[in-house]
Amino acid sequence: MDWVAVALKKDVPPGVVIPSRISDSELAIWCTPSGRYHAWSDRCPHRGMRLSHGFVRGDTLACIYHGWQYNEAGSCDYIPAHPKLTPPVTICVPTYRCVEDGGVIWVSLTETDSPLPMLGGRDPIRSLQISLSAPDLAAHFGAHSFTTIAVVSDHDALLAVQPCTDRTCMVHALAAPDADRKAVSRWLEDLRATLERVPA
Ligand code: FES
């Protein structure tokens, strides 16, 4: 698994942090005020609070529990209870490669030379959780890979699939720029209803 869609850009505006995940890896996805995206392990190195519950403060992410602040490299650079202390370099959050492309935020949990998935000029429409594992979703479409699944339909939609649990996945739907966005959204809901009727 190389690049995985973890959110649509519109759902992570500058200054916002959200929770996300790729299978068992829980992630905090955040965007600096100037628009740089980051994907980090969703655990504060101090006491394990979820960093996705924290807040973006300038170009840092601050933990909501005791306020430790982490710079864009994931290193702790400020501890409010010890304002004059330079935090040890060992206090850092595991970080992952994270880029925005085509209105989708992509994360790779491992080093990869693989290119980002080709989106064919499609625009992001919406994200929807489906109660079906990513491999089962891929199998439904006869696909070998579940990172992205091109779907032949009236809307020429493409689904970028995010494995969540062994029973759920998130799909991020894209469609041609001239597609009827409401129709694509309804099609996606119908697809979910159909897929969730398929016995696992
Ligand atoms: S748990 Fe995050 S600062 Fe203490």
Side-chain angles (χ1 to χ4, degrees):
M1 187 192 315
D2 293 322
W3 295 104
V4 177
V6 296
L8 298 184
K9 177 182 179 182
K10 68 181 179 62
D11 295 325
V12 195
V16 165
V17 57
I18 66 163
S20 189
R21 65 186 304 137
I22 300 175
S23 300
D24 293 336
S25 298
E26 296 176 319
L27 303 170
I29 309 295
W30 65 284
C31 184
T32 66
S34 55
R36 289 186 298 276
Y37 289 91
H38 297 284
W40 292 0
S41 169
D42 197 10
R43 292 288 169 193
C44 177
H46 184 214
R47 295 279 175 84
M49 172 60 75
R50 288 188 184 280
L51 287 170
S52 58
H53 290 176
F55 48 93
V56 178
R57 177 174 279 167
D59 289 338
T60 69
L61 183 61
C63 178
I64 198 168
Y65 200 177
H66 307 98
W68 290 22
Q69 289 181 28
Y70 300 89
N71 63 28
E72 290 187 79
S75 300
C76 182
D77 66 4
Y78 183 66
I79 297 177
H82 305 281
K84 293 184 179 167
L85 176 76
T86 299
V89 293
T90 50
I91 304 177
C92 57
V93 184
T95 64
Y96 305 104
R97 292 184 67 188
C98 180
V99 297
E100 181 275 325
D101 185 66
V104 180
I105 300 170
W106 303 91
V107 170
S108 176
L109 297 180
T110 58
E111 285 298 318
T112 179
D113 294 328
S114 298
L116 290 162
M118 301 285 286
L119 305 179
R122 295 175 177 86
D123 288 339
I125 302 294
R126 65 177 293 191
S127 303
L128 196 68
Q129 181 170 301
I130 294 181
S131 297
L132 194 69
S133 73
D136 286 343
L137 180 63
H140 178 84
F141 289 109
H144 299 297
S145 162
F146 54 75
T147 298
T148 55
I149 298 174
V151 179
V152 178
S153 77
D154 290 348
H155 308 292
D156 189 29
L158 181 145
L159 304 182
V161 182
Q162 175 187 1
C164 293
T165 71
D166 54 8
R167 291 178 180 272
T168 61
C169 64
M170 188 74 81
V171 295
H172 307 279
L174 300 94
D178 59 355
D180 180 334
R181 300 176 70 88
K182 286 184 179 173
V184 174
S185 185
R186 283 195 299 272
W187 168 80
L188 187 62
E189 290 174 3
D190 290 345
L191 175 66
R192 175 172 66 178
T194 301
L195 290 171
E196 292 185 346
R197 281 198 295 271
V198 175

